[in-house]
Amino acid sequence: MHRTRTWKLGLLTSLIAAVAACGGSTAAPDSTATAGTTAPSGGEITLYSGRSEELIADLLTDFTATTGIKVNARYGDSGETAALLLTEGSNSPADVFLSQDAGALGAVRESFSTLPDTTLDKVDANYRDAEGKWTGVSGRVRVIVYNPNVVNSPPSSIDELLDPKWSGQVGFPPTNASWQSFVTGLRVLRGEDGAKKWLTAFAANKPVAYEKNSAVRDAVNSGEVALGLVNHYYLYEKIAAEGADAVKAKNQYLGGGDPGGLVNVAGVGILKNANNSSAAQVFVDYLLSTEGQAYFSDKTFEYLLVKGETQAADLPALSDLGAPAIDLSDLKSIEITQELLQQVGLLTK
Amino acid sequence: MMTTKRAPRAQVVPAVIVAGASLSPIAYLVVQSTSRGVRPFVDEIIQQRTAELLTRSLLLCASVTVAAVIIGVFAAWVTTLAGLRGKVAWTVLFSMPLAIPSYISAFTWVSWMPSLSGFAGAFIVLTFACFPYVMLPVMAVFSRIDPSHEEVAMSLGRSPLITFFVVTLPQARRATLSGALLVALYVLGDFGAVAVMRHEVFTWVIYGAYRSGFNPTRAASLSLVLLVLALALTAAESQARGKQDKGVSPVRTLLRSGQSLAKVRALAAAVSTVIIIPSVGVPVISVVSWLQRESTRRVDTSDVVSSAMTSFGIGVAAALFCLLAALPVALMSVRHPSRLSRMLSAATYVTHSLPALVIGISVVYLGIRAVTPLYQELPMLVFAHVILFIPAMVTTLETAIEKSPVRLEEISASLGSSSVATFIRVTLPLALPGLLAGSALTMLAAVKELPASLLLLPTGWDTLSTDVWRFAAVSDYAAVAPPAITIIVLAAVPTAILGALSSIKFKSDS
């Protein structure tokens, strides 16, 4: 990649020299157009990834080693990437979109082709698009992380968080996408008025804002606050890094369809206008293979969504969680969520 | 000195093409915002929340502008009339905020004071980032002020402070206003600081509509409102500015007598230090201290070098193509003034008020449809940078070309030289300093630029600014530090030279 870059910069420099020598034509150079697109077809896909390079670069290397298919990955925030796909329209160079959350997949679902049943059947119907436009790859559960030294019986529903005894004791990450997805889920489950009512009461109970999920978890672990609203895997990351004995915090899973126990997924879809949809299909199937699933299980402590795959971490079974029933594509209305959060004073000041 | 001769086709054709290209983002905005018809567009805009957004944006814009004018005028006074020692050093220090991108400065504040956000955060970051835009033009006026007016006022018993406000400051009215306009437009178009501080002004809401609302129509409609707002500000400024500043005379300033000013100078030095600490001290010290933090990733020197090379290469390309694009427009507007040439020059200026994010989105939208093979290739990113930075380049070139007397060109032509030969042998050498300064500033701006780079960089490439953004998004400040420091160092060198040169130039005038 670095060699290509040096080569292209060199080309650009010589173009500049050439244009300068010609005495100032403003025409845009077009000879770089073919640079880098000379690889044989069938062996290459362009992946737009809402998951970070740090997280999935090794997975892509394994994929290429196994299948011989080269991956050009463009990394970005999931929402930004979805918006970019929508702006690009049918000319997009992307073959596959791997998103961090379901909302961004829902936003571009019209641009996806329908996945084959053999692929879809691997995943529980709750964790993929109703019409098969995209499928979840790994899952995460919203939990209340708590410090047992401070709290004897943690709340078993988000409504208990509104009790004045938790005033100033609940940490949350206002800008985090997973927190905002939880609020979107709350809107979908309880309606706009119901969500606003809960958020207004939550804001009145003086929750403590942190920069990100891991900061909330650390504040709970140190006893700075008693409770925190995060995804389940932040606890396991800390245990993996510091050892089980060093970590005091525990996860409280909210059952009974409570909105606070939302299961969101990271998922994938293939673009209708993919240049190489067969290789893209190979990639999607790889993510759902035992190898691909094991990668997420070991590296991110997320839930595996493929039936029959066994979880590495000691997690309660997904089917026992009592998560709320929701069409995950409905999580795309993030902007309305953000406006609501602004209104109740939980996002901006 | 007007040449009524019509502009040669060799200038008109490229100038028209460049002006057309500069207006292309606006064409996109109009198409996108009315894609569901004019009525939905009007409904989108005529809403309570638009009024609130407008109020918030104008409030931030006005507060930062007022504060930046106060600090900027003070800094200009310190570096010219106050008679402090080390004028050059003070000028360089006061110019340094220009080398620090607003998003880096905002990250440093947040990492230092995590509770800082909203209006207060955006106000602090933007004020300390923007005051040099007022300082530099006002310095130019102060250093040429005729001291006899002040002396008359003081001999009539006015205190130095009253003299400054009644006599000195009004002479810099025009320069202050033009600096204030630059600040106001900067604040309206800035994304980095308001995004980091989570202050819901136009750029943040436009970004939200695009990124979280998946609603490009709303993003485009709000961009048009922002554009109109910026144009109104520009028009208001040129109304208020009127003609030349009064009292700026070529009389050489005498060295000022120092005795009565000793206390004032000590105070001025103290206040200056208080300004330098938040504007330069906090960002630089924070960024350096990040190096000590723990990182979850290993940052290889080779990665930073590779990103720096990319940034530098793109910066050079942006500067060169911007220069080539601006040249026909500037030549035409100076040498062949006409309604057409004024329109072309104004056309390149219009997009100055659009946020880089909006220009980036329009280039994505138009570029992928018009020239698909070039999409996500360097030329398209360079094209976006040319649109972004051409206004400053045209203005700089116009000033530079005006310095080359038209008579010399006529003599050259009468001796049988072609117009190209005349340009290369006569006009170019005389305009060279301005041309180089404009190119250096464009390069700097391209290195600092973030939103268009994020959208248009070839897949798999990184620049220093995208590295900073990527690592800061996951709060990995240890990994942010190397690219951020590299940007600041890269930008500080030309900024320091610019500051030192303006200080030395003004000193030799006096």
Side-chain angles (χ1 to χ4, degrees):
Chain A
M1 187 179 295
H2 282 213
R3 216 183 315 139
T4 324
R5 174 180 311 202
T6 317
W7 190 77
K8 284 195 188 180
L9 277 174
L11 185 64
L12 192 72
T13 316
S14 39
L15 270 166
I16 291 164
V19 172
C22 293
S25 150
T26 51
D30 58 4
S31 47
T32 49
T34 50
T37 53
T38 44
S41 65
E44 194 168 326
I45 54 169
T46 297
L47 166 72
Y48 277 17
S49 176
R51 310 211 78 175
S52 69
E53 186 169 4
E54 289 71 29
L55 192 62
I56 65 157
D58 291 344
L59 174 75
L60 299 184
T61 309
D62 294 349
F63 169 72
T64 304
T66 310
T67 62
I69 297 170
K70 188 173 170 273
V71 182
N72 298 315
R74 187 176 186 88
Y75 297 97
D77 161 275
S78 291
E80 276 168 23
T81 307
L84 181 64
L85 280 167
L86 292 173
T87 309
E88 290 173 343
S90 57
N91 287 336
S92 174
D95 296 305
V96 190
F97 175 33
L98 176 62
S99 169
Q100 176 86 349
D101 76 351
L105 292 165
V108 291
R109 67 184 294 282
E110 306 294 328
S111 312
F112 287 139
S113 61
T114 307
L115 293 167
D117 288 343
T118 46
T119 301
L120 294 169
D121 287 345
K122 292 180 185 167
V123 176
D124 188 297
N126 289 328
Y127 305 120
R128 52 178 156 91
D129 181 65
E131 287 165 40
K133 296 291 185 183
W134 56 263
T135 177
V137 171
S138 57
R140 72 192 88 112
V141 189
R142 297 291 300 173
V143 296
I144 293 179
V145 62
Y146 69 101
N147 187 326
N149 293 359
V150 186
V151 184
N152 292 325
S153 54
S156 56
S157 129
I158 55 165
D159 294 312
E160 289 176 32
L161 290 173
L162 307 178
D163 191 314
K165 76 174 169 181
W166 302 123
S167 178
Q169 284 299 315
V170 185
F172 79 113
T175 55
N176 177 266
S178 291
W179 149 259
Q180 294 183 3
S181 285
F182 149 68
V183 177
T184 309
L186 182 69
R187 287 180 35 241
V188 173
L189 292 163
R190 291 193 179 175
E192 302 298 333
D193 291 343
K196 190 171 182 179
K197 201 175 152 207
W198 186 85
L199 287 167
T200 308
F202 180 69
N205 217 12
K206 302 189 180 67
V208 187
Y210 290 91
E211 198 177 356
K212 49 181 180 172
N213 279 308
S214 54
V216 174
R217 170 205 64 199
D218 291 345
V220 170
N221 192 56
S222 70
E224 194 175 306
V225 287
L227 310 169
L229 291 169
V230 294
N231 295 334
H232 77 277
Y233 53 77
Y234 287 96
L235 182 67
Y236 296 94
E237 279 179 12
K238 198 171 178 73
I239 291 172
E242 298 173 13
D245 298 338
V247 180
K248 293 192 193 73
K250 293 196 180 315
N251 276 346
Q252 167 80 332
Y253 293 84
L254 308 177
D258 191 275
L262 178 77
V263 175
N264 197 349
V265 301
V268 66
I270 297 175
L271 277 300
K272 256 187 228 165
N273 295 292
N275 293 316
N276 197 344
S277 45
S278 56
Q281 184 61 48
V282 174
F283 179 71
V284 171
D285 287 331
Y286 182 83
L287 294 177
L288 299 177
S289 70
T290 303
E291 265 175 298
Q293 290 284 293
Y295 183 88
F296 288 108
S297 169
D298 296 344
K299 189 140 178 172
T300 66
F301 309 104
E302 286 174 299
Y303 275 97
L304 303 184
L305 296 179
V306 172
K307 300 167 198 163
E309 294 294 340
T310 42
Q311 208 70 43
D314 184 22
L315 299 173
L318 198 53
S319 51
D320 297 342
L321 288 176
I326 195 167
D327 180 349
L328 288 170
S329 282
D330 287 345
L331 295 179
K332 69 178 176 185
S333 59
I334 310 163
E335 193 189 18
I336 302 173
T337 296
Q338 290 179 344
E339 282 173 17
L340 182 59
L341 289 169
Q342 283 162 20
Q343 272 178 35
V344 299
L346 284 173
L347 184 55
T348 51
K349 285 179 196 165
Chain B
M1 279 300 143
M2 278 192 189
T3 317
T4 43
K5 204 179 67 178
R6 287 187 53 192
R9 187 164 293 181
Q11 276 174 32
V12 179
V13 174
V16 169
I17 293 173
V18 168
S22 300
L23 290 177
S24 60
I26 295 173
Y28 159 75
L29 290 179
V30 172
V31 169
Q32 182 64 267
S33 59
T34 56
S35 59
R36 294 176 210 151
V38 176
R39 192 60 218 248
F41 165 66
V42 174
D43 291 344
E44 180 69 66
I45 291 175
I46 310 293
Q47 286 189 59
Q48 176 70 23
R49 61 179 182 176
T50 312
E52 289 164 9
L53 178 61
L54 207 56
T55 315
R56 261 193 310 274
S57 300
L58 285 175
L59 188 67
L60 180 70
C61 186
S63 320
V64 171
T65 306
V66 169
V69 163
I70 294 171
I71 297 178
V73 168
F74 173 80
W77 174 76
V78 166
T79 49
T80 54
L81 300 172
L84 286 192
R85 281 191 190 180
K87 277 185 189 178
V88 178
W90 282 116
T91 314
V92 168
L93 276 174
F94 277 130
S95 307
M96 271 308 135
L98 294 179
I100 306 169
S102 71
Y103 51 88
I104 292 185
S105 159
F107 285 132
T108 62
W109 280 91
V110 166
S111 83
W112 182 55
M113 264 165 64
S115 61
L116 190 67
S117 66
F119 174 85
F123 172 78
I124 291 174
V125 170
L126 288 170
T127 300
F128 288 116
C130 285
F131 75 83
Y133 291 116
V134 177
M135 179 189 79
L136 290 170
V138 174
M139 264 179 81
V141 176
F142 279 0
S143 61
R144 266 175 269 144
I145 265 173
D146 182 350
S148 60
H149 295 158
E150 292 185 347
E151 279 156 14
V152 168
M154 291 213 267
S155 70
L156 291 173
R158 298 287 193 187
S159 75
L161 202 62
I162 291 177
T163 306
F164 177 78
F165 281 106
V166 176
V167 180
T168 313
L169 197 52
Q171 304 188 51
R173 200 178 63 104
R174 197 167 184 251
T176 310
L177 274 171
S178 68
L181 177 69
L182 285 179
V183 174
L185 292 179
Y186 185 97
V187 174
L188 282 183
D190 174 76
F191 174 68
V194 297
V196 175
M197 292 300 172
R198 291 181 275 138
H199 190 51
E200 47 196 312
V201 291
F202 266 103
T203 45
W204 204 66
V205 175
I206 290 169
Y207 170 76
Y210 173 73
R211 180 245 173 259
S212 309
F214 310 107
N215 189 346
T217 306
R218 176 163 153 77
S221 307
L222 291 174
S223 301
L224 281 179
V225 177
L226 181 60
L227 181 71
V228 171
L229 188 64
L231 291 178
L233 278 179
T234 310
E237 188 266 346
S238 72
Q239 278 291 316
R241 184 167 49 170
K243 295 267 182 268
Q244 282 270 311
D245 277 329
K246 284 183 217 146
V248 179
S249 62
V251 176
R252 290 189 167 255
T253 311
L254 301 170
L255 284 175
R256 307 180 53 87
S257 64
Q259 7 102 317
S260 65
L261 289 169
K263 270 186 199 163
V264 180
R265 280 178 188 163
L267 190 65
V271 176
S272 299
T273 312
V274 170
I275 296 170
I276 300 286
I277 289 171
S279 56
V280 185
V282 170
V284 170
I285 292 169
S286 291
V287 170
V288 173
S289 74
W290 290 345
L291 286 172
Q292 312 298 322
R293 294 203 185 185
E294 277 177 41
S295 174
T296 49
R297 78 201 82 225
R298 214 182 56 247
V299 180
D300 288 335
T301 319
S302 67
D303 289 342
V304 180
V305 170
S306 147
S307 296
M309 295 268 291
T310 310
S311 288
F312 189 77
I314 290 172
V316 169
L320 263 157
F321 282 98
C322 202
L323 181 64
L324 292 176
L327 212 47
V329 179
L331 270 176
M332 229 184 116
S333 84
V334 176
R335 289 292 181 243
H336 306 281
S338 66
R339 179 180 288 182
L340 176 68
S341 70
R342 271 192 301 276
M343 274 171 51
L344 295 179
S345 172
T348 61
Y349 202 79
V350 170
T351 44
H352 183 53
S353 42
L354 282 178
L357 174 73
V358 175
I359 302 218
I361 296 170
S362 21
V363 172
V364 167
Y365 184 92
L366 297 172
I368 198 170
R369 285 162 177 80
V371 267
T372 317
L374 281 186
Y375 182 65
Q376 285 175 359
E377 295 290 343
L378 282 180
M380 205 170 282
L381 175 58
V382 172
F383 175 78
H385 279 167
V386 169
I387 295 182
L388 270 169
F389 306 128
I390 201 173
M393 186 66 102
V394 169
T395 315
T396 315
L397 284 187
E398 284 174 351
T399 318
I401 295 168
E402 274 165 1
K403 287 193 176 140
S404 151
V406 80
R407 288 285 299 163
L408 287 181
E409 290 175 17
E410 285 167 0
I411 291 167
S412 167
S414 72
L415 292 174
S417 291
S418 71
S419 61
V420 174
T422 300
F423 175 77
I424 291 174
R425 288 202 211 120
V426 180
T427 318
L428 197 61
L430 286 164
L432 202 60
L435 202 137
L436 288 176
S439 308
L441 286 176
T442 305
M443 207 202 96
L444 235 179
V447 168
K448 285 159 61 181
E449 197 280 327
L450 177 69
S453 302
L454 279 176
L455 285 167
L456 290 160
L457 259 182
T459 295
W461 290 44
D462 307 298
T463 66
L464 293 170
S465 59
T466 61
D467 279 347
V468 167
W469 190 252
R470 185 157 58 100
F471 297 138
V474 289
S475 310
D476 189 347
Y477 291 116
V480 171
I485 291 171
T486 314
I487 292 182
I488 294 176
V489 170
L490 267 182
V493 175
T495 308
I497 294 171
L498 181 82
L501 279 181
S502 41
S503 180
I504 291 162
K505 193 178 103 207
F506 297 153
K507 204 190 263 175
S508 68
D509 283 350
S510 59

